[in-house]
Amino acid sequence: GAADPGLVTGAVAPIIGVQHFAWGLLNDSWRARVDSLPPALFAAAAEELVGDPRAVDASVVGAVYRRICPGLIDELDGPASLPLISPRPLLVVNGELDPRCPFPGLMNAVTETKAAYASEGKTSLFRTLVQRGTPHRCTPEMVGVVNRWFDETLRPARPDTALPTRGHLDPNTWIEL
């Protein structure tokens, strides 16, 4: 027989990876991302574009993004691509102080994604958790909450099992958006 249409067979849970590259360029929040990549990449681009390998700025970074991943700051950027996961279950986990995936840029992607889930009538399938005081780091707490969420999402409910990510998160550790 056919699979039960109510059975969830897939779910997505990115940890510290949701961002809005274009927002970073427009709001001078691109440096942490650039510093995580080979310096020669941006120096060579600055040399080619403006004649000075030290003249790395938002326009140079944007040009590099366009060349190495066309669409990264347009149709593939977080606010455009993350909503495409709807209506599949999605949990986004980020650090509050993550300089590579800054909180305001994350919020743009979350806002667009919430709208996509609302339009499908599936708001309960999208959650965003931000770990307080956490930089760009995948913490044991993040892994734990993602593993519990996968269990809750992909396994049938067991009456003797608490649902630790549904209303049971420590508000001193987590911000739920």
Side-chain angles (χ1 to χ4, degrees):
D4 175 357
L7 182 65
V8 175
T9 58
V12 181
I15 300 176
I16 67 168
V18 173
Q19 60 187 303
H20 187 182
F21 289 95
W23 181 91
L25 294 175
L26 293 171
N27 292 280
D28 201 31
S29 290
W30 48 267
R31 285 180 176 80
R33 174 59 57 204
V34 165
D35 290 345
S36 73
L37 298 169
L41 175 67
F42 295 95
E47 175 73 34
E48 179 182 316
L49 294 169
V50 295
D52 182 354
R54 295 164 296 158
V56 176
D57 62 10
S59 66
V60 169
V61 174
V64 170
Y65 287 170
R66 282 184 191 90
R67 184 173 287 177
I68 64 173
C69 186
L72 183 66
I73 56 177
D74 301 304
E75 69 270 13
L76 300 178
D77 209 346
S81 62
L82 198 64
L84 299 175
I85 296 170
S86 176
R88 293 159 209 78
L90 171 61
L91 171 66
V92 172
V93 180
N94 242 56
E96 179 184 27
L97 305 177
D98 188 338
R100 292 186 199 160
C101 305
F103 193 80
L106 168 68
M107 285 304 302
N108 291 337
V110 167
T111 299
E112 294 299 320
T113 305
K114 279 184 177 184
Y117 278 81
S119 74
E120 299 265 356
K122 301 287 186 178
T123 56
S124 66
L125 296 181
F126 174 57
R127 297 186 67 202
T128 304
L129 300 174
V130 177
Q131 189 172 19
R132 294 182 186 278
T134 303
H136 188 78
R137 181 178 313 126
C138 181
T139 67
E141 294 85 5
M142 289 177 177
V143 172
V145 79
V146 166
N147 286 339
R148 288 190 304 272
W149 179 82
F150 275 129
D151 282 345
E152 294 166 8
T153 303
L154 298 174
R155 292 185 181 177
R158 295 181 305 267
D160 60 337
T161 304
L163 299 176
T165 67
R166 294 196 183 140
H168 295 80
L169 295 171
D170 179 359
N172 293 315
T173 303
W174 298 101
I175 302 165
E176 182 158 13
L177 304 176

